[in-house]
Amino acid sequence: MVVADCEAVAEVRVRGWRFAYEGLIPAWYLAAMTVEADAETRREHFAQDSTRAVNLVAERGGSVVGWACYGPYRDGQAPTGAAELYALYARPDQLSTGVGRALMAEAVSRAAAEGYGAMRLWVLKGNARARRFYERAGFAPDGAEEPWHVAGTTVPELRYTRRLTP
């Protein structure tokens, strides 16, 4: 990903949230999301990232159709030796086309090559489609669960983990 991709990534992310989180997060919150605001956030994160995050895009026909981001696992300030998949989204019209699988394979391969021993991610407990996707990619729930507070609603998240081999 390059900074010029931020607008396209924001579109993928906003459309992805609206599709994936419908019925899980308040509709008014999803409707209020804008590509413009998210693109500005992406540009800020891209320019000032201090977590060593790696942003990857998937393209088809020269258009960004998916985005993934990973970096060190965020567990307070203590290094854990694990990577965290911070985000993985594909445009809704690109689901089940291999875009997500390709992004996941690239993120896992790069994280392993960087020396991470495992990759973790957080997924909404009620997001059955995403949970199936992650399980097919070799991730499994590891027993950790946390509440995620968004738009005045508390939604449970589950942590999934996958061991990595270089």
Side-chain angles (χ1 to χ4, degrees):
M1 178 177 165
V2 296
V3 73
D5 293 327
C6 287
E7 187 90 14
V9 165
E11 184 176 341
V12 167
R13 186 173 174 277
V14 168
R15 289 174 67 186
W17 269 59
R18 288 179 178 158
F19 178 83
Y21 302 144
E22 182 180 19
L24 300 172
I25 295 177
W28 66 264
Y29 183 86
L30 297 173
M33 293 177 74
T34 67
V35 171
E36 296 77 21
D38 195 76
E40 183 58 32
T41 300
R42 297 298 114 224
R43 282 189 284 276
E44 289 171 10
H45 285 220
F46 202 81
Q48 301 172 359
D49 186 15
S50 63
T51 64
R52 299 185 336 258
V54 176
N55 288 276
L56 305 168
V57 294
E59 295 180 341
R60 282 218 165 110
S63 296
V64 172
V65 296
W67 167 65
C69 181
Y70 76 91
Y73 181 69
R74 301 171 290 188
D75 188 14
Q77 299 302 316
T80 66
E84 181 175 350
L85 183 67
Y86 304 137
L88 192 153
Y89 294 97
R91 282 191 347 212
D93 66 331
Q94 295 294 310
L95 296 177
S96 299
T97 66
V99 169
R101 288 187 303 277
L103 284 167
M104 177 63 80
E106 187 66 17
V108 165
S109 174
R110 287 182 182 218
E114 290 172 26
Y116 290 108
M119 181 175 268
R120 296 183 175 135
L121 60 88
W122 290 93
V123 60
L124 296 185
K125 189 175 188 176
N127 191 343
R129 181 184 187 105
R131 291 177 62 188
R132 282 191 306 273
F133 172 81
Y134 294 131
E135 289 166 6
R136 284 193 303 267
F139 288 79
D142 64 14
E145 184 172 335
E146 287 189 355
W148 181 45
H149 306 288
V150 60
T153 301
T154 301
V155 184
E157 285 188 300
L158 303 175
R159 187 175 68 192
Y160 275 51
T161 300
R162 174 184 167 167
R163 293 272 166 231
L164 301 180
T165 54

